[in-house]
Amino acid sequence: MEGNPVHNMLGLSAFLRRLLKVFVVWIFPVLVLGFGLAAFTWNSDAVFFKGNVYFTDGDCYARMTRVRLLQEHPLAPIRQHDFENYPEGTRPHTTSPLDYLIAGLAVAMGWFSGDALPLAGAWISPILGLVTLAFLAVWGRRDPFGGATVVLLAVSPIVSHGFLLGRPDHQSLLMLLVAVALAAEADMWTGKDRSRLSAVAWALALWVSLFEPLILLTSILLLRFFARRLVLSRVPLVIFFAILLLGFLVDGFHVAAFDAHFANWSRNIGELGHGSVSVLFSWGGWLAIVAPFGLLAGYLKKREPVYLLLCAMVVLLAGLTFMHLRWGYFFVIALAVSLPWLLPMARWKIAGWGILILSLWPVAAYWDRTLFDEDTFRARAESVVDAVALRDAAIQIKGLPVRGVLAPWWFSPAIVWWSGQPCVAGSSHQSLPGIADTAEFFLSEGSGREILEKRKAGYIFAYEPERVISNSAQILGRPAPSNPLVRRLYEHPNGAGYPLLYANRYFKVFEQ
């Protein structure tokens, strides 16, 4: 005898609900974390190459040199960089929290790797990215569109760049802290008590960097005063200032002197370029433009202050991204945090998710260009070849008497890492005096020995002359001579007046 059709239908319905719950609670978060991990590690073939770890840019090599020094003296935070702007060194803005995180991860990885420090440096940012996604997944687990926050962050190209494999940069830690702070702030504006979490996140973010978090926190405090009248209790304030005091005692406070070459040099720094509407679309999808209007409409309709907070932060960060691309990381975080309030404005849940997916079309197009464009692929391959050749050249002077290395500024931190020798230049703006002197040397019409003596440099790295000439002329703000020294060193190494120590296809190494 067949069962009751009504009971069968109810049983099937209950089974489907349980299946949907399993998907939402367990499978969906794992899938999103998997997408995030894939996005954060898409460049693995360029980072792990022939048994070595190659970091993505000069600042990352400088960071790893700091961590190596920290391993030697764990209780002595690094306030002076003797390895750049040699021999004077620099007083960097770089702070200790990420240094200690990398060093701690290296200790953990030492259980299964004999060369754990480079691996820790390579993996620290993707791990921080996964922690960010996991935190926001838990934060939004009770909201119908909480998962949308994690989806956007997992697929956004600029977020991927911040958490990229082989990029041990302070921005990855800063992004995690700002994401926690903004999520806590949104909860506070809906009446939940997240003041202690907010205090910890903002204070740690300010310890990591006094630039972006200071502007964001100041803006939020002004919004609190004028729109919400939120008042922190004593305990969060004590926590906040205690962390700031600890940061000051550990790292101090440094102000870099202004250098006249900064404006010319900064044109080489991609993060200091200007954003555009198409950039916002590529990083956050079409909702990047829709969000402020939707959030404002939500505030006018519901009069809930959290809509005003999120609208203000999205607009502020979009404007700052137009000014400097470095703000794009935090723009997408603010946009993602706003989705649980923005998407419910669609009448049905499935419509809200459909709008999100369709809005990601420009993001998909960006990834298509990044992963499959032939010119982009060729540029990445050339970068890997350069990195390998530079390592081969740098290890030739490892173990030789410690003397300054004069090299193109963007290669200098990697030379320090591979050779252990200090460099005249560096990749930070505090190294601009040394950067300017290397430019003067490479454009010299004579031997440039006076610069070598001034900088106590004993080794010279010459690279493909056209790029060095154009960059040096740009930094110094004057035309290059017809036959500068770097051309003579590179094209006629045996007649340039300096003994040749080593040469490969891309680099020539000389001794003073």
Side-chain angles (χ1 to χ4, degrees):
M1 182 176 179
E2 295 184 2
N4 189 321
V6 175
H7 290 169
N8 291 340
M9 290 295 294
L10 290 175
L12 179 61
S13 177
F15 172 76
L16 291 176
R17 283 198 299 271
R18 287 196 297 270
L19 188 63
L20 180 61
K21 184 176 180 180
V22 168
F23 176 81
V24 171
V25 174
W26 297 105
I27 300 177
F28 177 76
V30 171
L31 287 175
V32 174
L33 289 175
F35 274 117
L37 182 61
F40 304 157
T41 60
W42 69 269
N43 63 330
S44 59
D45 57 341
V47 175
F48 302 121
F49 190 77
K50 293 187 176 180
N52 293 302
V53 175
Y54 296 93
F55 302 109
T56 60
D57 56 56
D59 287 344
C60 298
Y61 284 100
R63 170 69 69 176
M64 294 308 298
T65 298
R66 284 176 56 91
V67 181
R68 180 187 282 164
L69 295 172
L70 190 69
Q71 285 184 322
E72 299 171 2
H73 305 284
L75 299 180
I78 300 161
R79 298 187 179 186
Q80 171 79 13
H81 285 183
D82 293 325
F83 56 83
E84 61 181 349
N85 194 39
Y86 185 80
E88 287 84 1
T90 65
R91 299 278 288 174
H93 294 318
T94 318
T95 54
S96 298
L98 185 62
D99 296 342
Y100 281 106
L101 283 177
I102 297 172
L105 182 59
V107 171
M109 288 185 164
W111 288 95
F112 56 87
S113 172
D115 195 16
L117 181 57
L119 285 176
W123 279 103
I124 187 65
S125 288
I127 290 173
L128 291 174
L130 292 177
V131 171
T132 303
L133 295 182
F135 168 82
L136 290 172
V138 173
W139 170 73
R141 69 190 184 281
R142 300 186 188 282
D143 191 280
F145 291 101
T149 297
V150 188
V151 169
L152 178 56
L153 293 180
V155 302
S156 171
I158 189 62
V159 173
S160 167
H161 184 261
F163 293 129
L164 197 61
L165 184 74
R167 191 171 184 265
D169 190 276
H170 77 282
Q171 281 168 334
S172 57
L173 179 56
L174 202 58
M175 290 165 66
L176 166 59
L177 294 171
V178 169
V180 172
L182 288 179
E185 194 70 29
D187 280 352
M188 290 168 63
W189 283 57
T190 59
K192 300 174 184 175
D193 184 10
R194 299 287 188 267
S195 56
R196 297 185 184 187
L197 179 61
S198 174
V200 170
W202 282 121
L204 288 174
L206 288 168
W207 183 355
V208 173
S209 173
L210 276 175
F211 182 50
E212 296 100 337
L214 183 60
I215 293 174
L216 293 177
L217 179 57
T218 301
S219 303
I220 283 176
L221 290 177
L222 289 173
L223 284 169
R224 282 185 186 179
F225 179 78
F226 288 108
R228 185 64 175 161
R229 304 285 181 175
L230 287 175
V231 178
L232 289 179
S233 60
R234 183 178 302 173
V235 173
L237 287 174
V238 170
I239 293 172
F240 179 80
F241 286 108
I243 293 173
L244 288 185
L245 178 60
L246 178 62
F248 177 77
L249 293 175
V250 171
D251 287 314
F253 180 74
H254 310 304
V255 178
F258 175 77
D259 192 284
H261 299 98
F262 178 82
N264 291 335
W265 170 81
S266 65
R267 296 173 191 165
N268 299 282
I269 310 302
E271 290 183 351
L272 298 181
H274 300 304
S276 64
V277 172
S278 63
V279 166
L280 297 186
F281 285 159
S282 296
W283 292 348
W286 287 320
L287 284 178
I289 297 299
V290 175
F293 301 100
L295 292 168
L296 181 59
Y299 173 72
L300 294 175
K301 180 179 179 180
K302 299 184 178 181
R303 295 296 176 178
E304 294 180 11
V306 67
Y307 285 93
L308 189 61
L309 165 73
L310 296 171
C311 180
M313 296 310 297
V314 170
V315 171
L316 171 66
L317 286 164
L320 290 170
T321 304
F322 282 121
M323 184 173 65
H324 282 156
L325 291 171
R326 64 188 296 170
W327 289 96
Y329 307 101
F330 309 106
F331 166 74
V332 175
I333 289 173
L335 177 63
V337 169
S338 74
L339 293 182
W341 286 270
L342 179 66
L343 294 179
M345 298 185 69
R347 187 167 184 179
W348 298 288
K349 184 177 179 179
I350 191 171
W353 278 102
I355 289 171
L356 173 65
I357 300 302
L358 290 175
S359 77
L360 295 177
W361 181 264
V363 175
Y366 186 98
W367 277 114
D368 181 69
R369 294 192 300 272
T370 299
L371 297 176
F372 304 112
D373 179 76
E374 185 175 343
D375 292 336
T376 305
F377 178 82
R378 187 181 300 111
R380 290 203 306 271
E382 291 174 356
S383 178
V384 172
V385 172
D386 269 1
V388 173
L390 180 62
R391 176 186 177 275
D392 290 344
I395 60 177
Q396 304 303 316
I397 60 173
K398 185 176 183 179
L400 296 182
V402 176
R403 304 161 72 189
V405 179
L406 195 148
W409 64 268
W410 58 93
F411 290 131
S412 294
I415 293 172
V416 174
W417 172 254
W418 293 118
S419 71
Q421 299 279 2
C423 279
V424 170
S427 58
S428 68
H429 63 89
Q430 291 96 338
S431 293
L432 274 169
I435 292 172
D437 281 347
T438 62
E440 292 280 5
F441 177 84
F442 287 130
L443 294 187
S444 173
E445 295 184 86
S447 67
R449 291 188 186 277
E450 67 282 359
I451 296 175
L452 295 178
E453 292 171 1
K454 169 188 172 184
R455 286 289 175 172
K456 299 181 182 180
Y459 309 103
I460 304 164
F461 276 58
Y463 177 65
E464 192 281 314
E466 297 308 320
R467 182 179 176 189
V468 176
I469 292 169
S470 63
N471 187 267
S472 298
Q474 175 186 313
I475 289 172
L476 298 178
R478 66 169 187 258
S482 59
N483 191 29
L485 179 56
V486 66
R487 189 184 301 281
R488 286 176 273 139
L489 288 169
Y490 192 84
E491 296 178 356
H492 307 286
N494 294 319
Y498 294 99
L500 180 66
L501 283 178
Y502 173 80
N504 60 33
R505 181 179 176 184
Y506 296 100
F507 293 93
K508 310 288 191 297
V509 183
F510 301 87
E511 186 175 16
Q512 157 76 316

